[in-house]
Amino acid sequence: MMTALATVTAVTESKQGNVVELSCQQQSSCSHCSSKSSCGTGIVSKAVGNKSHKWALITQKKVKPGQMIEIGLPEKKLLQFASVVYLIPIVMLMLGGFLGESLFASGDGEGWVILSAFLCMAAGIWLARKLSEKMQQASEQAITLIRVLGDPVDIG
């Protein structure tokens, strides 16, 4: 199980328990790497900044807004999600190239082969987006509350 720290943003009561809305900062390991200034990923992460993710979960535990909690997500869900998002467009790109090569192999068909590959890749991106939306909803339901860490500390 992968774990992350999240901040409780809102709590509402329902029949199933407390519906807890969470905000979690995406962190990259680039800030700890020795080659962050010369690495392309480090430069991009510095330019883009930290991204905040929002989730909701249902729990029986009492929490209040502002508290830090530890949440868990099964690795299987993350691997499935990453596989869909990264592999489907690449496979579709290759299939489009092979399809274009078989259909337009004679003569000056190189442009058509490239167009076929990019159209299939675009279809793969669309398909990956649709599948990932469904998978995201399922993964949000798999998020579990591991422990409540406490209230944030104000330094100032």
Side-chain angles (χ1 to χ4, degrees):
M1 171 137 337
M2 284 193 67
T3 62
L5 296 179
T7 305
V8 176
T9 56
V11 180
T12 55
E13 293 185 21
S14 71
K15 292 179 182 178
Q16 295 89 7
N18 295 323
V19 178
V20 181
E21 294 179 26
L22 307 169
S23 175
C24 186
Q25 290 286 78
Q26 177 178 330
Q27 298 175 345
S28 82
S29 59
C30 293
S31 61
H32 304 294
C33 181
S34 61
S35 62
K36 65 182 175 186
S37 61
S38 61
C39 171
T41 304
I43 293 169
V44 169
S45 68
K46 187 187 295 185
V48 173
N50 291 336
K51 185 178 178 184
S52 179
H53 297 281
K54 304 220 180 287
W55 287 300
L57 64 89
I58 298 174
T59 183
Q60 301 303 319
K61 294 185 180 180
K62 295 287 184 192
V63 293
K64 57 186 178 185
Q67 282 185 313
M68 293 293 293
I69 62 172
E70 185 176 18
I71 56 174
L73 180 67
E75 282 103 359
K76 181 179 178 182
K77 296 280 185 190
L78 290 174
L79 290 173
Q80 289 173 342
F81 192 76
S83 297
V84 164
V85 170
Y86 288 111
L87 292 179
I88 288 178
I90 291 172
V91 169
M92 291 295 289
L93 174 72
M94 292 190 302
L95 283 174
F98 291 135
L99 178 69
E101 184 68 30
S102 66
L103 291 176
F104 307 110
S106 63
D108 297 326
E110 187 174 321
W112 292 107
V113 173
I114 294 170
L115 180 64
S116 169
F118 279 116
L119 287 175
C120 284
M121 183 184 70
I125 291 171
W126 177 83
L127 179 63
R129 178 173 282 168
K130 291 297 177 188
L131 289 174
S132 68
E133 287 172 0
K134 290 180 182 177
M135 291 177 74
Q136 183 176 0
Q137 291 171 355
S139 69
E140 285 179 0
Q141 295 172 357
I143 295 173
T144 58
L145 174 63
I146 297 174
R147 62 185 169 146
V148 178
L149 300 173
D151 294 322
V153 177
D154 252 349
I155 301 175

